[in-house]
Amino acid sequence: MKTAVIVPALNEEGNIELLVRQLLAQVEVTWVIVADNGSDDGTAAAAERGGALVISEPRRGYGYACAAGTEAAVRLGAETVVYIDGDFSSSPAEIDRLLEPLHTGTADLVLGSRTLGQIDPGAMPPHQLFGNKLSSWLMSWLYQVKVTDLGPYRAIRAELLLSLQMQEMSFGWPTEMMVKSARQGARIVEVPVSWRVRRSGSSKVGGTVRGSIFAAYQIMRVTFRYALK
Ligand SMILES: Nc1nc2c(ncn2[C@@H]2O[C@H](COP(=O)(O)OP(=O)(O)OP(=O)(O)O)[C@@H](O)[C@H]2O)c(=O)[nH]1
Ligand SMILES: [Mg+2]
């Protein structure tokens, strides 16, 4: 299966080159696409040095970057698409856990669960842990899927992804993928993944008040939005 890994990135100069190299070192990975979302540091150049295909998405938003990366992946002919954050919090070597259920044909969407895996001390602030628990519980209840985390490390069949017609262009993107897949009756599986403190650089989401409130609002809005349809 041809696999593209998409990395939405905003100012991840210190992390992206090594991340891309380690991703490309995994046998399952065909392409690494870094969707640079208007970084004002050397993210794009560092990603290129690592061997990534870099695309620029000037419209600011996590979902815009994911969507631009997805478009490029589909154009290249990817059959499976993996998403991973650009700050090295997730482990490239664990990608086989995400891809295995797709390869064996037992799932359509595979979610890396940090709750089932290993969260390093200090890697997830308490409000994020609580928010994840709450949104996972709401999702399980509203969509009858058993999920334990709302993490960024996930793998999906390109065919399913295209059928979802993704619309959320900020931090609602991962939630939209989950709830629409559940609505379609897609097979959703969780696998344990580890979660580390970002390797370098500064937090834009969980480590800031503004980022946390905005992300929490988007996640909740999207969770309820598609439940009512
Ligand atoms: N494209 C895009 N990516 C973003 C944006 N904000 C954050 N990111 C990326 O999304 C990922 C998650 O952001 P982080 O800043 O790591 O958020 P976090 O994981 O809650 O915070 P840390 O605990 O510091 O890692 C990283 O890869 C960022 O580069 C954005 O507005 N647009
Ligand atoms: Mg992070």
Side-chain angles (χ1 to χ4, degrees):
M1 270 186 162
K2 287 185 182 158
T3 299
V5 183
I6 295 170
V7 191
L10 176 63
N11 294 337
E12 301 291 1
E13 180 180 27
N15 305 314
I16 205 83
E17 184 178 347
L18 189 62
L19 177 70
V20 170
R21 281 189 199 286
Q22 287 196 9
L23 283 167
L24 285 170
Q26 309 304 313
V27 287
E28 300 92 345
V29 174
T30 321
W31 304 280
V32 176
I33 301 168
V34 171
D36 176 29
N37 209 196
S39 300
D40 53 21
D41 65 358
T43 294
E48 261 165 22
R49 276 199 305 278
L53 173 69
V54 179
I55 52 168
S56 171
E57 172 52 81
R59 285 170 297 181
R60 185 60 66 85
Y62 186 83
Y64 273 123
C66 290
T70 302
E71 209 185 297
V74 169
R75 235 183 298 122
L76 287 167
E79 294 157 284
T80 58
V81 178
V82 176
Y83 298 87
I84 189 169
D85 275 358
D87 62 356
F88 230 113
S89 287
S90 297
S91 169
E94 291 173 0
I95 201 166
D96 57 342
R97 302 185 191 176
L98 293 171
L99 291 171
E100 210 245 0
L102 299 180
H103 289 161
T104 55
T106 51
D108 305 303
L109 169 63
V110 184
L111 306 167
S113 167
R114 300 163 293 184
T115 311
L116 297 178
Q118 161 86 34
I119 302 174
D120 279 0
M124 211 190 277
H127 67 276
Q128 220 172 10
L129 266 174
F130 171 78
N132 264 339
K133 264 210 169 83
L134 177 65
S135 48
S136 306
W137 179 80
L138 273 173
M139 237 175 262
S140 302
W141 175 52
L142 291 170
Y143 298 91
Q144 287 86 49
V145 282
K146 184 84 201 82
V147 290
T148 60
D149 188 18
L150 190 65
Y153 201 17
R154 55 198 37 223
I156 185 169
R157 284 184 203 285
E159 205 181 340
L160 171 62
L161 180 57
L162 286 174
S163 75
L164 300 179
Q165 300 190 5
M166 298 289 287
Q167 286 164 21
E168 300 295 335
M169 291 300 144
S170 69
F171 293 113
W173 168 281
T175 308
E176 183 187 11
M177 189 184 292
M178 286 163 75
V179 299
K180 282 186 166 173
S181 295
R183 262 298 161 86
Q184 282 200 15
R187 294 164 302 168
I188 304 175
V189 167
E190 280 191 322
V191 295
V193 292
S194 56
W195 189 246
R196 304 178 287 234
V197 177
R198 64 161 45 249
R199 186 164 173 272
S200 76
S202 59
S203 177
K204 291 106 210 165
V205 191
T208 71
V209 175
R210 194 165 168 270
S212 298
I213 291 173
F214 182 61
Y217 165 72
Q218 293 295 341
I219 290 165
M220 287 300 154
R221 185 181 61 73
V222 175
T223 300
F224 286 107
R225 175 171 178 196
Y226 294 97
L228 302 176
K229 279 196 171 170

